[in-house]
C-alpha cells in the first residue's frame, strides 16, 4: 500500500509542477496576478514557473501590432449616417510601461486606448463635418488626425503606447 501511495504522490507532484511551468513567447512579456491583484513581476520570453491554481499569467505583446476596428458608424453634421468598414491602427506598447499600463487599464488596455478611442474620434470628426467633407474634402487628412488624437491622449496619460502614422 505504501508503494501505491508514493507513486500517486509523485504523479500528483509531477502534474502540479507541469501546471506551474509556462512559456512567454518572443515579442511578449508576462504579467502575473494572484487573487486578482497584479504582482510586480514582469518576465521576459522563455520558460518560467508560477504557483499553480493561485497565480495567473497574461502574455502582453510588446512588438508592433495591428488592431482592426470594424464597422464604425457615425453621423455627419447634416444628419447623414455613414459607416467606416475598417480602420487599422498600428501600435506598440513600450516594454518599460507594461506593468503600469496593465495596472491602470488591464491586460486588454487596447480596448480603451485603441478600439473605444477610434469610435469616439470618428464620431467627433463626422459630427463636425458634412458628408462632402467626410468622404471627399477631408478624407485624406483623417489618418493623420486620428493618429495624432490617439497619440496625444496616450502621451497625456503616460500609457506607453506608440502609434505609427499608418492608420
Amino acid at each position: 500500500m505504501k508503494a501505491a501511495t508514493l507513486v500517486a504522490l509523485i504523479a500528483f507532484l509531477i502534474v502540479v509542477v507541469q501546471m506551474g511551468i509556462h512559456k512567454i513567447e518572443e515579442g511578449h512579456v508576462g504579467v502575473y496576478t494572484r487573487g486578482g491583484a497584479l504582482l510586480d513581476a514582469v518576465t521576459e520570453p522563455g520558460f518560467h514557473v508560477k504557483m499553480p491554481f493561485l497565480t495567473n499569467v497574461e502574455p502582453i505583446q510588446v512588438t508592433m501590432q495591428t488592431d482592426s476596428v470594424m464597422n464604425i458608424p457615425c453621423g455627419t453634421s447634416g444628419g447623414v449616417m455613414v459607416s467606416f468598414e475598417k480602420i487599422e491602427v498600428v501600435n506598440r506598447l513600450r516594454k518599460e510601461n507594461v506593468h503600469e499600463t496593465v495596472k491602470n487599464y488591464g491586460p486588454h488596455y487596447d480596448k480603451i486606448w485603441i478600439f473605444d478611442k477610434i469610435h469616439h474620434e470618428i464620431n467627433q470628426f463626422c459630427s463636425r463635418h458634412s458628408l462632402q467633407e467626410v468622404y471627399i474634402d477631408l478624407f485624406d487628412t483623417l489618418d493623420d488626425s486620428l493618429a495624432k488624437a490617439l497619440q496625444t491622449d496616450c502621451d497625456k496619460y503616460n500609457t506607453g503606447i506608440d502609434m505609427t502614422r499608418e492608420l
Side-chain angles (χ1 to χ4, degrees):
M1 195 58 121
K2 285 187 177 185
T5 305
L6 183 60
V7 170
L9 181 61
I10 290 172
F12 175 75
L13 288 175
I14 289 172
V15 169
V16 168
V17 168
Q18 282 183 324
M19 291 176 72
I21 296 174
H22 63 281
K23 181 172 70 169
I24 302 296
E25 296 288 341
E26 196 63 45
H28 293 75
V29 295
V31 294
Y32 300 84
T33 60
R34 187 173 302 135
L38 183 65
L39 303 178
D40 291 333
V42 176
T43 57
E44 296 290 328
F47 287 101
H48 303 279
V49 178
K50 65 179 180 80
M51 286 204 266
F53 309 113
L54 299 177
T55 305
N56 295 315
V57 62
E58 184 78 40
I60 304 294
Q61 188 171 348
V62 291
T63 55
M64 287 289 184
Q65 62 183 2
T66 302
D67 291 320
S68 296
V69 185
M70 309 296 286
N71 301 321
I72 307 162
C74 67
T76 66
S77 62
V80 178
M81 287 300 293
V82 295
S83 181
F84 289 88
E85 185 178 324
K86 177 168 78 170
I87 295 179
E88 292 183 335
V89 180
V90 181
N91 64 90
R92 177 181 69 90
L93 177 59
R94 281 183 249 124
K95 194 182 296 188
E96 61 270 15
N97 294 86
V98 167
H99 187 270
E100 196 64 25
T101 298
V102 171
K103 180 179 174 185
N104 291 331
Y105 309 107
H108 305 290
Y109 62 89
D110 53 350
K111 180 180 182 327
I112 296 168
W113 292 106
I114 307 291
F115 292 90
D116 294 349
K117 188 75 174 143
I118 284 289
H119 277 272
H120 173 74
E121 291 299 328
I122 287 291
N123 281 300
Q124 292 293 313
F125 176 79
C126 289
S127 68
R128 289 190 305 257
H129 298 96
S130 68
L131 181 62
Q132 168 83 24
E133 292 170 325
V134 168
Y135 272 144
I136 299 170
D137 299 342
L138 299 175
F139 188 77
D140 62 336
T141 66
L142 186 56
D143 287 356
D144 285 337
S145 63
L146 282 174
K148 183 179 178 186
L150 290 172
Q151 191 64 63
T152 298
D153 279 354
C154 285
D155 291 346
K156 179 180 176 182
Y157 292 97
N158 195 28
T159 64
I161 303 170
D162 293 321
M163 307 294 160
T164 68
R165 285 292 191 208
E166 299 176 30
L167 286 173

